[in-house]
CSV table of all heavy atoms in Angstrom, one decimal:
chain,number,residue,atom,x,y,z
A,254,HIS,N,23.1,36.7,-21.5
A,254,HIS,CA,23.4,37.5,-22.7
A,254,HIS,C,23.5,36.6,-24.0
A,254,HIS,O,23.2,37.0,-25.1
A,254,HIS,CB,24.7,38.2,-22.6
A,254,HIS,CG,24.6,39.4,-21.6
A,254,HIS,ND1,23.9,40.5,-22.0
A,254,HIS,CD2,25.1,39.6,-20.4
A,254,HIS,CE1,24.0,41.4,-21.0
A,254,HIS,NE2,24.7,40.8,-20.0
A,255,GLU,N,23.8,35.3,-23.8
A,255,GLU,CA,23.9,34.4,-24.9
A,255,GLU,C,22.6,34.1,-25.6
A,255,GLU,O,22.4,34.1,-26.8
A,255,GLU,CB,24.6,33.1,-24.5
A,255,GLU,CG,26.1,33.3,-24.1
A,255,GLU,CD,26.7,31.9,-23.8
A,255,GLU,OE1,26.0,30.9,-23.8
A,255,GLU,OE2,27.9,31.9,-23.4
A,256,THR,N,21.6,33.9,-24.7
A,256,THR,CA,20.2,33.6,-25.2
A,256,THR,C,19.4,34.9,-25.3
A,256,THR,O,18.3,34.9,-25.8
A,256,THR,CB,19.5,32.6,-24.3
A,256,THR,OG1,19.4,33.1,-23.0
A,256,THR,CG2,20.3,31.3,-24.3
A,257,GLU,N,19.9,36.0,-24.6
A,257,GLU,CA,19.1,37.2,-24.6
A,257,GLU,C,17.8,37.0,-23.9
A,257,GLU,O,16.7,37.5,-24.3
A,257,GLU,CB,19.0,37.9,-25.9
A,257,GLU,CG,20.3,38.3,-26.6
A,257,GLU,CD,20.1,39.0,-27.9
A,257,GLU,OE1,18.9,39.0,-28.4
A,257,GLU,OE2,21.1,39.6,-28.4
A,258,GLN,N,17.8,36.2,-22.8
A,258,GLN,CA,16.6,35.9,-22.1
A,258,GLN,C,16.8,36.0,-20.6
A,258,GLN,O,17.9,35.8,-20.1
A,258,GLN,CB,16.1,34.5,-22.4
A,258,GLN,CG,15.7,34.2,-23.9
A,258,GLN,CD,14.5,34.9,-24.3
A,258,GLN,OE1,13.7,35.3,-23.5
A,258,GLN,NE2,14.2,35.0,-25.6
A,259,GLN,N,15.7,36.3,-19.9
A,259,GLN,CA,15.7,36.2,-18.4
A,259,GLN,C,15.8,34.7,-18.0
A,259,GLN,O,15.1,33.9,-18.6
A,259,GLN,CB,14.5,36.9,-17.8
A,259,GLN,CG,14.4,38.4,-18.1
A,259,GLN,CD,15.4,39.1,-17.3
A,259,GLN,OE1,15.9,38.7,-16.3
A,259,GLN,NE2,15.8,40.3,-17.7
A,260,VAL,N,16.6,34.4,-17.0
A,260,VAL,CA,16.7,33.1,-16.4
A,260,VAL,C,16.4,33.2,-14.9
A,260,VAL,O,17.3,33.5,-14.1
A,260,VAL,CB,18.0,32.5,-16.7
A,260,VAL,CG1,18.1,31.0,-16.2
A,260,VAL,CG2,18.4,32.6,-18.1
A,261,TYR,N,15.1,33.0,-14.6
A,261,TYR,CA,14.7,33.4,-13.2
A,261,TYR,C,15.1,32.4,-12.2
A,261,TYR,O,15.2,32.7,-11.0
A,261,TYR,CB,13.2,33.6,-13.2
A,261,TYR,CG,12.7,34.6,-14.2
A,261,TYR,CD1,12.0,34.2,-15.3
A,261,TYR,CD2,13.0,35.9,-14.0
A,261,TYR,CE1,11.5,35.2,-16.2
A,261,TYR,CE2,12.5,36.9,-14.9
A,261,TYR,CZ,11.8,36.5,-16.0
A,261,TYR,OH,11.4,37.5,-16.9
A,262,ALA,N,15.5,31.2,-12.6
A,262,ALA,CA,15.8,30.2,-11.6
A,262,ALA,C,17.2,29.6,-11.8
A,262,ALA,O,17.6,28.5,-11.4
A,262,ALA,CB,14.8,29.0,-11.6
A,263,ALA,N,18.1,30.4,-12.5
A,263,ALA,CA,19.4,29.9,-12.9
A,263,ALA,C,20.2,29.5,-11.7
A,263,ALA,O,21.0,28.5,-11.7
A,263,ALA,CB,20.1,31.0,-13.7
A,264,ASP,N,20.1,30.3,-10.6
A,264,ASP,CA,20.9,30.0,-9.4
A,264,ASP,C,20.4,28.7,-8.7
A,264,ASP,O,21.2,28.1,-7.9
A,264,ASP,CB,20.9,31.2,-8.4
A,264,ASP,CG,19.5,31.6,-8.1
A,264,ASP,OD1,18.6,31.3,-8.8
A,264,ASP,OD2,19.4,32.3,-7.0
A,265,GLY,N,19.2,28.3,-8.9
A,265,GLY,CA,18.7,27.1,-8.2
A,265,GLY,C,19.1,25.9,-8.9
A,265,GLY,O,19.0,24.8,-8.4
A,266,GLU,N,19.5,26.0,-10.2
A,266,GLU,CA,19.9,24.8,-11.0
A,266,GLU,C,21.2,24.2,-10.6
A,266,GLU,O,21.5,23.0,-10.9
A,266,GLU,CB,19.9,25.1,-12.4
A,266,GLU,CG,18.5,25.5,-13.0
A,266,GLU,CD,17.5,24.4,-13.0
A,266,GLU,OE1,17.9,23.2,-12.8
A,266,GLU,OE2,16.4,24.7,-13.3
A,267,LYS,N,22.1,24.9,-9.8
A,267,LYS,CA,23.4,24.5,-9.6
A,267,LYS,C,23.5,23.6,-8.4
A,267,LYS,O,24.6,23.0,-8.1
A,267,LYS,CB,24.4,25.7,-9.4
A,267,LYS,CG,24.0,26.6,-8.2
A,267,LYS,CD,25.0,27.8,-8.2
A,267,LYS,CE,24.7,28.7,-7.0
A,267,LYS,NZ,25.7,29.9,-7.0
A,268,TYR,N,22.4,23.4,-7.6
A,268,TYR,CA,22.4,22.5,-6.4
A,268,TYR,C,21.5,21.3,-6.6
A,268,TYR,O,20.5,21.4,-7.4
A,268,TYR,CB,22.0,23.3,-5.2
A,268,TYR,CG,23.0,24.4,-4.9
A,268,TYR,CD1,22.5,25.8,-4.8
A,268,TYR,CD2,24.3,24.2,-4.6
A,268,TYR,CE1,23.4,26.8,-4.5
A,268,TYR,CE2,25.2,25.2,-4.3
A,268,TYR,CZ,24.7,26.5,-4.3
A,268,TYR,OH,25.6,27.5,-4.0
A,269,ASP,N,21.7,20.2,-5.9
A,269,ASP,CA,21.0,19.0,-6.0
A,269,ASP,C,20.1,18.8,-4.8
A,269,ASP,O,20.3,19.3,-3.7
A,269,ASP,CB,21.9,17.8,-6.2
A,269,ASP,CG,22.6,17.7,-7.5
A,269,ASP,OD1,22.0,18.2,-8.5
A,269,ASP,OD2,23.8,17.3,-7.5
A,270,VAL,N,19.0,18.1,-5.1
A,270,VAL,CA,18.2,17.5,-4.0
A,270,VAL,C,18.5,16.0,-4.0
A,270,VAL,O,18.5,15.3,-5.1
A,270,VAL,CB,16.7,17.7,-4.3
A,270,VAL,CG1,15.8,17.0,-3.3
A,270,VAL,CG2,16.3,19.2,-4.3
A,271,MET,N,18.8,15.4,-2.8
A,271,MET,CA,19.2,14.1,-2.8
A,271,MET,C,18.5,13.3,-1.7
A,271,MET,O,18.0,13.8,-0.7
A,271,MET,CB,20.7,14.0,-2.4
A,271,MET,CG,21.6,14.7,-3.5
A,271,MET,SD,23.4,14.4,-3.2
A,271,MET,CE,23.6,15.4,-1.8
A,272,VAL,N,18.4,12.0,-1.9
A,272,VAL,CA,17.9,11.0,-1.0
A,272,VAL,C,18.9,9.9,-0.7
A,272,VAL,O,19.4,9.3,-1.7
A,272,VAL,CB,16.6,10.4,-1.5
A,272,VAL,CG1,16.1,9.3,-0.5
A,272,VAL,CG2,15.5,11.4,-1.6
A,273,ASP,N,19.4,9.8,0.5
A,273,ASP,CA,20.4,8.9,0.9
A,273,ASP,C,21.7,9.1,0.0
A,273,ASP,O,22.3,8.1,-0.5
A,273,ASP,CB,19.9,7.4,0.8
A,273,ASP,CG,18.9,7.1,1.9
A,273,ASP,OD1,18.9,7.8,2.9
A,273,ASP,OD2,18.1,6.2,1.7
A,274,GLY,N,22.0,10.3,-0.3
A,274,GLY,CA,23.2,10.6,-1.0
A,274,GLY,C,23.1,10.6,-2.5
A,274,GLY,O,24.1,10.8,-3.2
A,275,VAL,N,22.0,10.2,-3.1
A,275,VAL,CA,21.8,10.1,-4.5
A,275,VAL,C,20.9,11.2,-5.0
A,275,VAL,O,19.8,11.4,-4.5
A,275,VAL,CB,21.2,8.7,-4.9
A,275,VAL,CG1,21.0,8.6,-6.4
A,275,VAL,CG2,22.0,7.6,-4.3
A,276,PRO,N,21.4,12.0,-6.0
A,276,PRO,CA,20.5,13.1,-6.6
A,276,PRO,C,19.3,12.5,-7.2
A,276,PRO,O,19.2,11.5,-7.8
A,276,PRO,CB,21.4,13.7,-7.6
A,276,PRO,CG,22.8,13.3,-7.3
A,276,PRO,CD,22.7,11.9,-6.6
A,277,ILE,N,18.2,13.2,-6.9
A,277,ILE,CA,16.9,12.8,-7.5
A,277,ILE,C,16.4,14.0,-8.4
A,277,ILE,O,16.9,15.1,-8.4
A,277,ILE,CB,15.9,12.5,-6.4
A,277,ILE,CG1,15.6,13.8,-5.6
A,277,ILE,CG2,16.3,11.4,-5.6
A,277,ILE,CD1,14.4,13.5,-4.6
A,278,GLU,N,15.4,13.7,-9.2
A,278,GLU,CA,14.8,14.7,-10.1
A,278,GLU,C,14.1,15.8,-9.3
A,278,GLU,O,13.3,15.5,-8.4
A,278,GLU,CB,13.9,14.0,-11.1
A,278,GLU,CG,13.3,15.0,-12.1
A,278,GLU,CD,12.4,14.2,-13.1
A,278,GLU,OE1,12.3,13.0,-13.0
A,278,GLU,OE2,11.8,14.9,-13.9
Side-chain angles (χ1 to χ4, degrees):
H254 287 288
E255 294 183 359
T256 62
E257 296 184 351
Q258 297 290 343
Q259 295 288 338
V260 186
Y261 302 110
D264 52 342
E266 298 290 353
K267 62 183 181 181
Y268 297 120
D269 290 326
V270 174
M271 296 190 292
V272 172
D273 291 335
V275 179
I277 63 173
E278 183 179 355

